[in-house]
Amino acid sequence: MSDGKRSGATLRLEAVVKTYGTGEIAVHALRGVDLKVGAGEFVVLLGPSGSGKTTLLNVVGGIESPTSGRVISDGVDISSLDADGQTAYRRDHVGFVFQFFNLIPTLTARENVGLIAELTGGQDDERVVGVLHEVGLGKRLDHFPGALSGGEQQRVAIARALVKDPPLLLCDEPTGALDLETGRTVLDLLRRVNRDRGCTVLLVTHNSAIAEMADRVVHMRSGQLEHDHRNKVPVAAEALRW
Amino acid sequence: MVRLLRVKRRRDLRRQRAQFGAVIATLFIGVALFGATSDAYRNLNASYRTLYADLRFADLTVTGGPVREIARRAEAAGALASIRAVTDVPFEVDGSKLLGRVVGMPSDAQPLVDRVQVLSGTYLSPSRERGVLVEQHMASHFHLAPGDALRILGPGGWTTVEVVGIAASPEYLWPARSRQEVLVPPGDFGVLFVPEALAQQLSPSSAADQVAVYGAGPGLVSELSRVARSGGSLDVVPRSEQPSNAALQEDVSGFGELAVLFPILFLAAAAMAAFVLLSRLVRSQRAEIGTLTANGFGRRTIFRSYLGYGIWAGLVGGVLGAVGGVALGAWITHLYTSAISVPITVIRFSWGTPLVGIAIAVLAAVLAAAAPARAAASITPAEAMRGTTPATTGGRSVIERLVPPARALPGRWKLALRNIGRSRRRTISTLVGVVLSLVLVLVSWGMLDTTSILLSRQFDTVQRQDAQLYFAGGPATASELSAARAVPGVAAAEPAAELPVSISDAGRSYATTLLALPQDTTMHTFLLEGGGTGHLSGTGLLVGKALSGLIGVSSGDLVTVASPALPGPIRLAISGFLDEPLGTFAYVSLPGLEQAVGTNALANTALLRFAPGADRSEVLNRLQAMSEVSVVVDSRGLASSASSLMGLFYVFVGVMLLFGGLMSFALMFNTMSANISERAGEMASLRTAGVGRATISGLLTRENLLVTALGIAPGLLIGYLLAAVFMASFNSDLFTFTLHVRWTTLVLSAAAMLVVALVSQWPGVRTVGRLDVAWVVRERSV
Ligand SMILES: Nc1ncnc2c1ncn2[C@@H]1O[C@H](COP(=O)(O)OP(=O)(O)O)[C@@H](O)[C@H]1O
Ligand SMILES: [Mg+2]
């Protein structure tokens, strides 16, 4: 990972099945998902609660392994990686953003981002500061999470995901804990990051309004892809209403 | 409604069984040790009391002076008195010559006071004038049995006597020669109970010289003591000061002190562990508790429910500990009485100890549960349903504020430093664990170090002679000294006078041993109380420092020194106080003493030093074989027999180390579990970012070791101070226990704490390693 723009990841899912438990209590979270995502695409994964969105994201992000099927990221089959392989894949390829920010309360914004950089390969402070400027926190570098608003905390979390310059950004309900206004600015930021960095973004939500900002919307229901369409003209995040 | 809470509690207990187990185990150890030590204390006291009553152990023993007058007064007041001759004379058993003691007894019946318990053979009989009873410790050392023979040296030469029985005596349960010589190597001392007529015959002076009084209350004892002192008695010993009893009481009171110290340490640790566990439980169940209150559960119900966790843990730990304590107490008592050969072991079950044990365990656990239970009861439905835990406020650590360059430390170090301030409860709990364990470890290890340093001080520094000789002819003459010097392996021999004396001033007196040595002696180093070494000069008296408190004298004071071996009392000035580990002796220069007394033939013994590299036992054997010599004392015998004493000590310290380790393990384990449960979200988000398990383990380890290390300095300090107090409580004229702790002990205890920290965090770190990241990111809201 050098500086300069890194091209986004391509993804290919082939017949991905994820089943929790066995026998009577088996839950079929993914029932054979096939999906292709091109480099630099901004895809929204839309579906009701329990439809398997998070499971799909976790499988793509190397947090969970599929029960069967293959997940190929940039030509590499990650479904067959062992634990160390998955860790390395997450370290080098994936940035995660969750509904809950999970920042370390005893570290400042700069230190939260810096710690990840430090623990995953040692980026310099300049880059950490640069990413925080990029997410609009240039003036709040040395604030502790407790002194930041929810939206600001989520921006720190995004900066933390971006500091490794990952080709793939996975966001699971990133606005779920935020109010409308703040949510829109966070979505705007994600859209901008996708455009500026060229990274591939997969964003999970149950909120259909958000889907309008995507290049492409994939609908999920009961562990299956139901419907996949492209927005001719994605709506700007600020214009979203829900 | 309440039944539901009970079900919930049962499930919580089961889910957190390792953490509750840690609390219960600590309570168990605390209560068991409390029970064991206080039962041992009670049982040993009862055993001694029973034995003393059965054998009519004297309330007062007076040597010399108006013994008949004292016996008459005692009997007039309704007490019992026995008069007897007691003499220290050489014995020869199987070629070994030792300085023993003969005690006269009526040969037709047991004496009225200080009876013996015949363990084998028979009591004395008038028909066997040369039949004697051997005190059990000597009998077992020399493997003597009824029918065996040994020799006693009297004024008329060696006499052969026959063993008729082996006996235990309340005066020699602990075979101490005197208060100066409480620790005597087996084989250097022994007691024979002989027919009174034989004892009289063996005494140099024919006067009956000792009276023992039984059944005297404190008033009579002090009245008789006054009569004795004013009548010029050499030694006046109330039961509490009797050497054997005093030595045993030191031990027993040690049990008594441990019975207080142990439960305090362990119950404090258990309470802290329970507090950390329940606080975390309540915090993680905020939403649940909020739901319960929203559904109409009253605050009091919730409070009582969480208090119940404490009551349960206290009851389980307390009951198990109480049962363990009763068993352990009986076992320790048996072990102890058989090690000391106390012929009577009284083990009485008393409900008091287990009940108190259970009560204090429940109390500790309930106190620990009170604050978390109150916190639970004050959670409002709205607050809990918002799902946000109270924000931990960030801030720079103290170190970063004090030392600005610390701000440039890498993130992992900052994380560790700031973790100290993150949860004060957890930090304090870890610190408490470290401090309590170090107290336990240092108190026990300090005792070991002190004892071994004390012994090496006594035998390597203070006492420089290798052997001491007594001569068959009595005085140590020039020709005998040169004969001793001629023995191959002997490098030097000095004449010395060793006298039993009573030192008195203004109505108070103390019986001790006066050792008169050549002015420029090389056989003794005089360590002065304030530091530095002193020298003998003129008639100046150097005395052990305990004497200043015992008879209220200070340097420069004139004291009266009386001894049956001197023609009359003399007055000497105290020239200094000595800091000597064992006993409270008095020293004067031999020429000075002779000048004060007005004779020049006082030397009655010789101190010898061996040539470097000489075979000690070989030289000792050669000395034993000398016809002029009646007794050879191996002056380093105690130093070598002490190593076997140390063996038991190491076991004790090992057990305490283990308990200390368990205690801090329990506390750190719970603290660590709480830490990890609170931070699962953070850890999971690091894992999703591709931070490896080893790196996260490293982060946590760094944090824990840092907090542990913080506790080490205060722990060592507090442990040291408490150990010093504990040690000082054993100080008397018998021993000077000044705490000495080797620096290696401090380093090793500190290292042991770090090892315990590493071990106790291991389950927690493993949990983080196994953390189901997917589950945490799905469910977690931090
Ligand atoms: N660890 C698990 N064990 C059992 N079932 C699970 C587990 N994780 C998720 N599920 C189930 O899988 C299904 C899909 O869940 P999820 O991917 O979280 O859905 P979404 O994110 O769309 O709400 C749900 O029915 C959920 O209950
Ligand atoms: Mg989801």
Side-chain angles (χ1 to χ4, degrees):
Chain A
M1 278 186 284
S2 59
D3 40 56
K5 215 154 113 174
R6 208 175 158 186
S7 61
T10 59
L11 282 175
R12 200 166 80 238
L13 279 71
E14 296 172 356
V16 172
V17 170
K18 179 72 181 177
T19 309
Y20 294 106
T22 48
E24 300 232 325
I25 55 153
V27 177
H28 303 281
L30 298 177
R31 306 165 180 261
V33 172
D34 295 289
L35 178 68
K36 272 188 184 172
V37 179
E41 270 194 288
F42 193 114
V43 180
V44 164
L45 213 55
L46 186 66
S49 179
S51 57
K53 307 181 297 292
T54 295
T55 307
L56 186 67
L57 209 65
N58 287 351
V59 164
V60 168
I63 290 181
E64 292 182 86
S65 301
T67 309
S68 67
R70 302 207 303 157
V71 179
I72 292 147
S73 172
D74 279 338
V76 179
D77 183 356
I78 60 157
S79 45
S80 59
L81 292 175
D82 62 4
D84 287 343
Q86 286 185 330
T87 300
Y89 166 70
R90 293 198 301 267
R91 182 184 66 215
D92 298 335
H93 292 270
V94 189
F96 268 107
V97 177
F98 299 103
Q99 176 179 359
F100 300 107
F101 330 119
N102 280 335
L103 299 178
I104 296 173
T106 51
L107 297 182
T108 62
R110 188 209 293 239
E111 289 161 348
N112 259 289
V113 178
L115 182 70
I116 292 291
E118 181 187 320
L119 297 182
T120 56
Q123 264 82 356
D124 50 57
D125 192 51
E126 217 172 291
R127 177 175 215 124
V128 170
V129 173
V131 176
L132 282 163
H133 274 283
E134 185 182 344
V135 300
L137 288 176
K139 294 214 169 69
R140 305 181 85 69
L141 295 176
D142 295 318
H143 284 62
F144 286 94
L148 297 174
S149 70
E152 286 170 329
Q153 290 189 48
Q154 188 61 300
R155 285 159 191 266
V156 178
I158 293 170
R160 194 173 56 174
L162 290 179
V163 72
K164 304 178 294 174
D165 198 11
L168 181 60
L169 189 61
L170 302 176
C171 312
D172 194 349
E173 310 270 10
T175 59
L178 303 175
D179 60 62
L180 171 66
E181 192 57 42
T182 322
R184 279 198 298 229
T185 55
V186 165
L187 291 172
D188 182 50
L189 170 63
L190 290 172
R191 186 75 239 209
R192 190 150 47 77
V193 163
N194 163 253
R195 218 174 294 128
D196 295 351
R197 295 186 168 240
C199 60
T200 307
V201 176
L202 221 59
L203 189 153
V204 158
T205 182
H206 63 274
N207 184 343
S208 52
I210 292 176
E212 293 172 34
M213 67 176 283
D215 296 331
R216 182 177 164 196
V217 182
V218 176
H219 292 260
M220 275 195 88
R221 183 170 291 277
S222 305
Q224 280 170 322
L225 299 193
E226 207 181 37
H227 178 61
D228 185 347
H229 79 273
R230 286 176 185 277
N231 286 326
K232 299 261 162 38
V233 189
V235 175
E238 292 91 82
L240 297 177
R241 293 252 165 272
W242 66 80
Chain B
M1 224 158 66
V2 177
R3 199 188 63 84
L4 214 73
L5 283 176
R6 256 188 246 122
V7 171
K8 167 177 140 45
R9 181 162 68 217
R10 210 159 42 229
R11 294 210 179 119
D12 283 339
L13 288 170
R14 204 173 313 136
R15 200 171 318 138
Q16 305 245 49
R17 59 183 171 274
Q19 287 79 0
F20 278 102
V23 172
I24 288 169
T26 315
L27 288 169
F28 166 78
I29 296 176
V31 173
L33 287 179
F34 164 74
T37 46
S38 50
D39 274 0
Y41 178 72
R42 207 167 34 83
N43 286 333
L44 286 175
N45 268 329
S47 301
Y48 295 145
R49 253 201 319 275
T50 308
L51 184 81
Y52 289 169
D54 284 0
L55 299 177
R56 300 186 190 159
F57 179 40
D59 295 310
L60 178 71
T61 308
V62 174
T63 308
V67 292
R68 283 181 202 289
E69 165 72 2
I70 290 166
R72 202 187 49 72
R73 287 194 186 217
E75 279 159 0
L80 299 173
S82 287
I83 295 177
R84 63 208 183 180
V86 176
T87 321
D88 286 3
V89 289
F91 296 165
E92 194 197 284
V93 190
D94 290 337
S96 301
K97 292 167 173 174
L98 64 140
L99 189 59
R101 178 169 298 166
V102 293
V103 177
M105 296 268 218
S107 55
D108 51 346
Q110 288 259 3
L112 288 176
V113 182
D114 284 338
R115 300 176 158 213
V116 294
Q117 182 168 332
V118 178
L119 304 172
S120 71
T122 59
Y123 186 71
L124 306 175
S125 120
S127 61
R128 299 169 81 171
E129 289 168 16
R130 293 273 177 278
V132 303
L133 287 164
V134 183
E135 199 278 327
Q136 54 171 346
H137 294 92
M138 175 178 165
S140 82
H141 178 79
F142 290 105
H143 307 290
L144 289 172
D148 290 346
L150 61 124
R151 299 205 300 159
I152 307 176
L153 184 61
W158 290 100
T159 311
T160 301
V161 294
E162 192 199 341
V163 177
V164 297
I166 311 299
S169 156
E171 292 177 282
Y172 299 98
L173 277 183
W174 180 259
R177 193 194 293 278
S178 66
R179 283 182 78 81
Q180 312 318 318
E181 290 177 75
V182 167
L183 298 176
V184 189
D188 268 12
F189 178 64
V191 181
L192 295 179
F193 301 97
V194 308
E196 182 65 26
L198 178 58
Q200 301 265 357
Q201 218 176 298
L202 293 166
S203 293
S205 61
S206 55
D209 56 5
Q210 197 172 76
V211 61
V213 179
Y214 177 77
L220 184 58
V221 166
S222 59
E223 186 206 318
L224 296 177
S225 302
R226 213 168 33 246
V227 172
R229 291 220 170 80
S230 59
S233 292
L234 178 66
D235 201 4
V236 182
V237 183
R239 186 193 272 197
S240 62
E241 288 174 19
Q242 198 273 342
S244 161
N245 184 40
L248 294 177
Q249 278 306 321
E250 285 230 337
D251 257 23
V252 171
S253 69
F255 277 112
E257 289 182 29
L258 292 180
V260 176
L261 183 71
F262 279 153
I264 289 180
L265 291 180
F266 283 94
L267 295 182
M272 199 75 216
F275 175 62
V276 168
L277 168 60
L278 293 176
S279 297
R280 177 60 207 157
L281 193 74
V282 168
R283 258 161 159 289
S284 69
Q285 295 183 345
R286 290 169 58 79
E288 264 174 68
I289 297 165
T291 315
L292 290 174
T293 34
N295 284 296
F297 278 80
R299 283 171 178 239
R300 198 165 302 161
T301 314
I302 302 240
F303 177 78
R304 258 193 256 118
S305 164
Y306 280 89
L307 207 60
Y309 291 84
I311 295 174
W312 270 111
L315 273 180
V316 175
V319 169
L320 291 177
V323 172
V326 168
L328 197 62
W331 183 68
I332 289 180
T333 309
H334 267 299
L335 203 69
Y336 190 89
T337 53
S338 71
I340 296 203
S341 322
V342 181
I344 295 178
T345 302
V346 178
I347 295 192
R348 270 192 214 116
F349 175 78
S350 130
W351 279 104
T353 314
L355 288 181
V356 169
I358 294 169
I360 54 179
V362 171
L363 185 71
V366 164
L367 282 179
R374 198 164 334 112
S378 67
I379 290 171
T380 62
E383 186 193 342
M385 299 332 291
R386 232 177 282 133
T388 51
T389 44
T392 316
T393 46
R396 292 188 206 292
S397 61
V398 181
I399 295 170
E400 290 169 276
R401 264 176 270 157
L402 294 179
V403 191
R407 288 180 202 169
L409 281 172
R412 53 186 89 197
W413 278 108
K414 284 187 190 156
L415 193 62
L417 285 175
R418 291 181 196 167
N419 178 58
I420 295 167
R422 175 169 182 170
S423 165
R424 215 168 298 155
R425 187 179 341 146
R426 283 200 299 266
T427 301
I428 289 173
S429 145
T430 306
L431 294 182
V432 165
V434 173
V435 170
L436 292 178
S437 308
L438 282 176
V439 166
L440 187 67
V441 168
L442 283 189
V443 166
S444 42
W445 208 336
M447 213 141 78
L448 177 74
D449 272 6
T450 300
T451 312
S452 68
I453 288 174
L454 185 138
L455 287 175
S456 93
R457 215 165 122 89
Q458 178 79 16
F459 295 103
D460 298 333
T461 308
V462 171
Q463 205 174 296
R464 311 282 309 278
Q465 74 269 28
D466 287 296
Q468 184 174 357
L469 300 185
Y470 296 89
F471 300 98
T477 62
S479 68
E480 280 161 337
L481 280 167
S482 44
R485 273 189 210 105
V487 170
V490 173
E494 289 180 10
E498 189 187 50
L499 312 171
V501 295
S502 116
I503 298 177
S504 53
D505 181 55
R508 288 206 268 174
S509 73
Y510 179 71
T512 180
T513 299
L514 174 67
L515 197 60
L517 299 163
Q519 191 124 358
D520 53 354
T521 181
T522 61
M523 297 296 174
H524 203 93
T525 305
F526 300 98
L527 298 177
L528 293 174
E529 191 181 7
T533 55
H535 296 280
L536 295 174
S537 73
T539 56
L541 203 57
L542 288 170
V543 293
K545 63 181 181 184
L547 193 74
S548 75
L550 286 167
I551 65 169
V553 287
S554 45
S555 202
D557 287 359
L558 275 173
V559 291
T560 304
V561 177
S563 169
L566 296 176
I570 53 172
R571 302 272 287 167
L572 297 176
I574 291 177
S575 62
F577 289 100
L578 301 174
D579 184 4
E580 297 192 337
L582 297 182
T584 300
F585 288 88
Y587 305 89
V588 68
S589 83
L590 187 54
L593 181 68
E594 289 175 335
Q595 184 201 324
V597 175
T599 64
N600 58 2
L602 289 175
N604 58 2
T605 180
L607 303 182
L608 269 54
R609 192 162 43 251
F610 297 168
D615 180 342
R616 297 183 52 80
S617 58
E618 192 58 29
V619 182
L620 288 168
N621 283 340
R622 281 188 211 122
L623 293 168
Q624 297 266 17
M626 289 172 70
S627 59
E628 300 94 324
V629 170
S630 63
V631 170
V632 178
V633 175
D634 177 1
S635 301
R636 303 190 56 90
L638 187 58
S640 38
S641 68
S643 55
S644 64
L645 189 89
M646 289 286 127
L648 267 177
F649 230 149
Y650 281 115
V651 174
F652 172 73
V653 172
V655 171
M656 287 305 121
L657 267 174
L658 184 74
F659 282 155
L662 279 176
M663 179 162 85
S664 50
F665 174 86
L667 204 38
M668 289 186 194
F669 170 69
N670 274 16
T671 307
M672 187 66 192
S673 304
N675 186 9
I676 283 168
S677 123
E678 180 181 312
R679 296 168 68 186
E682 277 167 56
M683 296 300 155
S685 74
L686 290 181
R687 296 275 288 121
T688 58
V691 178
R693 284 170 193 190
T695 310
I696 290 190
S697 304
L699 287 178
L700 293 171
T701 304
R702 192 185 309 258
E703 289 180 11
N704 285 321
L705 291 188
L706 197 66
V707 181
T708 306
L710 271 185
I712 284 177
L716 290 177
L717 184 71
I718 297 173
Y720 188 91
L721 293 177
L722 273 180
V725 171
F726 187 66
M727 272 292 117
S729 74
F730 289 105
N731 262 339
S732 68
D733 58 319
L734 310 182
F735 308 104
T736 304
F737 276 118
T738 316
L739 180 70
H740 290 281
V741 180
R742 295 195 167 95
W743 67 268
T744 45
T745 301
L746 297 176
V747 171
L748 287 177
S749 340
M753 281 301 111
L754 293 175
V755 170
V756 170
L758 276 179
V759 174
S760 58
Q761 67 154 21
W762 187 68
V765 167
R766 239 164 62 109
T767 309
V768 174
R770 292 223 213 95
L771 201 63
D772 184 348
V773 178
W775 184 81
V776 176
V777 298
R778 238 182 253 270
E779 309 278 329
R780 205 70 193 186
S781 60
V782 169

